[in-house]
Amino acid sequence: MTMMPEFPAAAVDHLVRVADSLALHGWSVTESALPAELLDELERNCRSLWSAAALKPAAVGRAGEQVVLPQVRGDHIRWLDDCPPCAASDAYLEAMDRLRETLNRTLFLGLDSFETHYALYPPGAGYQRHVDRFKDNPLRTVSVVLYLNSQWQPGDGGELRLYLPQGCMDVPPRAGTLAVFMSDSLPHEVLQAQRERASLVGWFRRRPDNPLLR
């Protein structure tokens, strides 16, 4: 007997459009990127972790040199592989693996793995302008942000500001919006949130040429 998945898969044409936009512009923004029932469950998971004080203040800097600076970066995070297993997490990771395969097949990026965490910005928090790749570590290649705010309204803040060659573009953190961009070349920031702002933030990494580089 064929078993039906608990959550339906993302449409393949969405993934192809992401790859096309990434190739053309270096970024992609897709609305309604994943099924509503999956988004609802991921949002519940993130907000439950926040309510249970299971999200920790995020730090800036390299491993071993990290420091918590809320005035620079104010989100609270928990890595997905450190969360209790659940069907929604599995479905999200499967969707990201399909996206990885699509990007590799169409753009030949050599993406090997994916790391991701929940991120919640409380009111008043933001993240100053930055890029996602350290200068001395080229492994993070493509950044991915999935928004989980089903009740977001204009004025709630927390937009993702992309610094594009033609000027700034603000992406509302509305549930189901998927932002994908090259990690090394696109400066961005999170504008100050006026209410709690939830997301999943991740990076596709390529396999290191030097096995000592992680």
Side-chain angles (χ1 to χ4, degrees):
M1 178 182 297
T2 301
M3 299 298 292
M4 296 296 292
E6 183 169 351
F7 299 103
V12 174
D13 58 340
H14 281 185
L15 305 183
V16 174
R17 286 197 294 270
V18 169
D20 289 345
S21 182
L22 200 62
L24 185 62
H25 305 294
W27 58 271
S28 167
V29 175
T30 304
E31 296 183 354
S32 304
L34 292 175
E37 52 266 54
L38 174 56
L39 295 167
D40 289 345
E41 186 64 21
L42 292 170
E43 181 176 8
R44 280 193 292 270
N45 290 348
C46 184
R47 296 189 185 280
S48 293
L49 290 168
W50 173 248
S51 297
L55 301 177
K56 303 303 180 184
V60 296
R62 293 295 304 273
E65 302 174 350
Q66 292 185 325
V67 59
V68 175
L69 297 172
Q71 70 274 24
V72 174
R73 178 182 182 181
D75 57 326
H76 290 64
I77 70 170
R78 184 163 178 170
W79 293 93
L80 202 62
D81 60 8
D82 188 42
C83 294
C86 70
S89 297
D90 291 344
Y92 176 65
L93 292 175
E94 288 173 7
M96 291 301 99
D97 200 53
R98 287 192 295 273
L99 177 57
R100 181 188 64 82
E101 292 174 350
T102 301
L103 296 178
N104 281 343
R105 184 173 62 252
T106 57
L107 304 182
F108 308 103
L109 293 177
L111 305 176
D112 178 61
S113 62
F114 182 63
E115 57 183 3
T116 186
H117 61 66
Y118 284 113
L120 189 139
Y121 288 78
Y127 194 163
Q128 292 182 7
R129 178 172 172 164
H130 64 285
V131 294
D132 282 349
R133 179 190 285 183
F134 294 111
K135 293 181 179 179
D136 61 347
N137 190 322
L139 300 186
R140 282 184 176 176
T141 304
V142 178
S143 302
V144 180
V145 186
L146 175 68
Y147 294 107
L148 304 174
N149 306 290
S150 58
Q151 303 302 313
W152 187 88
Q153 297 292 328
D156 288 344
E159 292 89 348
L160 173 68
R161 173 163 291 175
L162 302 177
Y163 289 90
L164 307 176
Q166 64 271 31
C168 295
M169 182 178 76
D170 292 347
V171 180
R174 190 177 295 110
T177 298
L178 182 73
V180 181
F181 50 91
M182 302 306 296
S183 300
D184 65 335
S185 57
L186 186 50
H188 55 283
E189 71 173 301
V190 176
L191 303 184
Q192 187 180 86
Q194 304 304 319
R195 63 183 298 181
E196 292 176 2
R197 171 206 191 267
S199 64
L200 275 161
V201 181
W203 299 269
F204 290 113
R205 296 165 59 95
R206 67 174 182 83
R207 183 182 295 108
D209 298 325
N210 180 351
L212 298 179
L213 184 62
R214 292 290 184 265

